[in-house]
Amino acid sequence: MKIQTLSEEHRAKAYALLRNAFPESEYEATLVQLLHARDKPLHEWVCLHTGKAIAYIAFANAYQGRKVCGLHLAMIAVSPEFQKQGVGAELLRFALRQAAIKEQALFVLGAPAFFQKFGFEPCSSPLCPYTRNNTNFMSLRNLDDTNFTVGYEPEFKAATKQTRQKEEIRPAKGGVKKRH
């Protein structure tokens, strides 16, 4: 198992991993593809095993207005056959030690039971626009107690919109198109 910075040559493997890790959703792969296509700054790593991407992690800028105020843990994924074996934890520990990450305020919207093991704590500020009452929104090294709504790259909303459009035209069982 080898962890390395995601290169362009491994992007297709990362997209395939995201589709495999989240089989009921196109959002994750769509988001990462949009961030890449629009050259958004990302800090991202992939875990390779026998030439296959088995885990992926990415951090994107977090904003207070137009100013970068830290990073969002935008994505962490582990291939289903490698889940519950510590691969995701190892990848996250690796990422948290990297120079580009270890001094930044970090934000994540995710499972508290998992992320609290790495020092993330529930936070009341900033506010996360994707959850009510900051439920499951956590931070690490967030020293700013200013009240504001944290900003995300516009691709987070664009991926939601594109995913919904795909779902609206996807044939349901029996060949009938789904309507929302």
Side-chain angles (χ1 to χ4, degrees), residues 2-177:
K2 178 181 177 184
I3 299 172
Q4 66 183 50
T5 301
L6 184 73
S7 64
E8 282 198 43
E9 75 178 80
H10 290 115
R11 283 183 177 181
K13 289 179 182 183
Y15 305 150
L17 163 67
L18 292 168
R19 286 187 179 90
N20 188 29
F22 302 100
E24 300 296 318
S25 173
E26 278 289 315
Y27 175 80
E28 293 78 9
T30 300
L31 171 61
V32 174
Q33 286 176 298
L34 283 173
L35 290 164
H36 287 156
R38 296 177 182 173
D39 292 322
K40 295 296 178 164
L42 291 174
H43 304 284
E44 54 190 337
W45 294 273
V46 65
C47 183
L48 299 172
H49 178 68
T50 64
K52 180 182 176 187
I54 64 166
Y56 169 81
I57 192 167
F59 294 82
N61 286 339
Y63 295 94
Q64 181 177 2
R66 293 184 183 189
K67 177 184 156 213
V68 174
C69 65
L71 298 169
H72 292 290
L73 195 169
M75 188 71 54
I76 185 167
V78 177
S79 183
E81 60 268 29
F82 289 91
Q83 290 177 2
K84 307 239 187 277
Q85 297 177 35
V87 174
E90 185 176 335
L91 182 58
L92 180 54
R93 276 193 292 275
F94 171 87
L96 293 174
R97 290 191 309 266
Q98 302 311 298
I101 307 300
K102 70 181 181 180
E103 302 297 324
Q104 298 274 352
L106 301 176
F107 304 97
V108 65
L109 180 57
F114 179 74
F115 290 105
Q116 287 177 340
K117 295 176 196 175
F118 303 93
F120 286 87
E121 298 176 336
C123 64
S124 57
S125 181
L127 296 175
C128 176
Y130 295 110
T131 184
R132 189 173 268 181
N133 300 323
N134 269 15
T135 303
N136 297 335
F137 189 64
M138 294 165 283
S139 64
L140 178 66
R141 295 186 294 271
N142 176 28
L143 303 176
D144 188 351
D145 62 358
T146 307
N147 214 6
F148 68 97
T149 299
V150 69
Y152 288 74
E153 296 289 2
E155 288 72 17
F156 283 79
K157 279 189 181 176
T160 299
K161 186 176 179 181
Q162 283 189 21
T163 302
R164 283 187 184 145
Q165 288 171 345
K166 287 178 186 177
E167 289 174 353
E168 288 175 1
I169 60 171
R170 183 183 330 147
K173 290 183 180 181
V176 179
K177 290 184 180 179

